[in-house]
Each structure stands twice: as C-alpha cells, then as structure tokens.
Amino acid sequence: FTVSERSEIRAQQQTISVVPVYLVIRKNLPHARELQRRFDQGYQQLVDSGQLDKLIAAHQAELHIPH
C-alpha cells in the first residue's frame, strides 16, 4: 500500500467472532497429566498476578482492538 492508502485503513470496531483457544495434550504421553497441571498452574499464576490482563491489553493495543 502507498502512504496515502495506508492512511485510509481503519480498524474494525465491532467484534466479528470470538474463537476460543485450547491446549491439546495427547493422553498417552508419559507426563500428560503433569504437563496439564503445570500449564494450569502457570495460567492461574498469570490470572492471579494480573499479568494475563496486561498481556491481553498489550496485544489489543498492538492490534488496535477496542477494549
């Protein structure tokens, strides 16, 4: 795009769709339960510390997504 064309680009203000994200771990992996436990623990630490909200806000700001 030219500079002029880029200045015309605007962010969509309405949510088009929300796509959930999943962690998939094969059950037959030797340490599948431990991997799941460690992921859940790390995720909960991000939630409890407020860091997850900061990461989401930074990502939204980077992509110019309204809150």
Side-chain angles (χ1 to χ4, degrees):
F1 294 109
T2 67
V3 173
S4 176
E5 290 170 330
R6 286 188 296 229
S7 70
E8 300 283 328
I9 296 174
R10 301 289 181 263
Q12 171 67 25
Q13 297 300 313
Q14 294 179 336
T15 301
I16 296 171
S17 69
V18 175
V19 179
V21 178
Y22 299 94
L23 173 68
V24 178
I25 301 172
R26 285 188 1 228
K27 290 181 180 181
N28 63 348
L29 286 177
H31 302 332
R33 293 247 184 236
E34 177 63 14
L35 289 172
Q36 180 182 356
R37 185 194 68 74
R38 289 173 62 188
F39 176 86
D40 291 344
Q41 182 182 24
Y43 183 86
Q44 193 60 53
Q45 287 174 345
L46 288 172
V47 171
D48 293 346
S49 70
Q51 190 65 26
L52 182 62
D53 288 335
K54 290 177 186 175
L55 289 168
I56 291 170
H59 179 70
Q60 288 174 331
E62 184 177 306
L63 295 177
H64 308 291
I65 299 171
H67 298 266

